[in-house]
Amino acid sequence: MAPLRLGSVAPDFSAETTTGPIKFHDFIGDSWAVLFSHPADFTPVCTTELGEVAKLAPQFAKRGVKVIGLSTNDLADHDRWVDDINEVNNVNLAFPIIADKDRDVATLYDMLDSVEHDASNVVNGIPFTVRSVFVIDPAKKIRLILTYPASCGRNFDEILRAIDSLQLSDRQPIATPANWQPGGEVIVHVSVSTEKAKQIFPEVREALPYLRFATLPVEEGEEEK
């Protein structure tokens, strides 16, 4: 199977989850989606990550994003783990977590760790997943891929920021600069002339012939804040 890259169609699959069986593309529907994996249930870093995503659920929903987790345990373990996650993080985790005990989805998305990278994440010759993140758009195209080692918890505020950037660049001919935050200046896309940019944006500032900053229309900037 060809490696998954930005722009690849996210592979479809059927799976059991904590909220019932799903077919992945049907689950996404016309929404964006974030698929994120965990090495195993009852693990400390994952417990904090899933709690954080549960806290941020309204922020993902506001952006039209469905979140779905994955871990390589069965549903009975997942259900007990969700109780721990809710208690420790004072949340009510409502999004689905895939039960990928046979690592079928993890293999499909190339999420499995290796001895060469982290021997502690391979037990009795069985690899666990790394901390993968796939941001997928309504066309089922993969728009962002992040891979963290098992030892490093993910920054979900950064994932939200990246989604804001992706969605904004789908609506406007722009890119976002380093450390951009919603409401900040954007970069005029290289395909747009400065003359045309001045017709699109309220203000255009030329730092270099190939680097033009712009402010967004008020309604767009307000929507992104």
Side-chain angles (χ1 to χ4, degrees), residues 82-96:
V82 167
D83 289 340
D84 288 349
I85 293 164
N86 287 339
E87 180 181 355
V88 169
N89 297 281
N90 192 28
V91 295
N92 181 20
L93 193 158
F95 58 85

Side-chain angles (χ1 to χ4, degrees), residues 130-149:
V130 289
R131 299 186 193 285
S132 298
V133 180
F134 294 87
V135 175
I136 301 162
D137 70 16
K140 317 303 185 289
K141 297 287 186 68
I142 296 172
R143 300 294 297 277
L144 181 146
I145 301 172
L146 295 170
T147 303
Y148 288 65

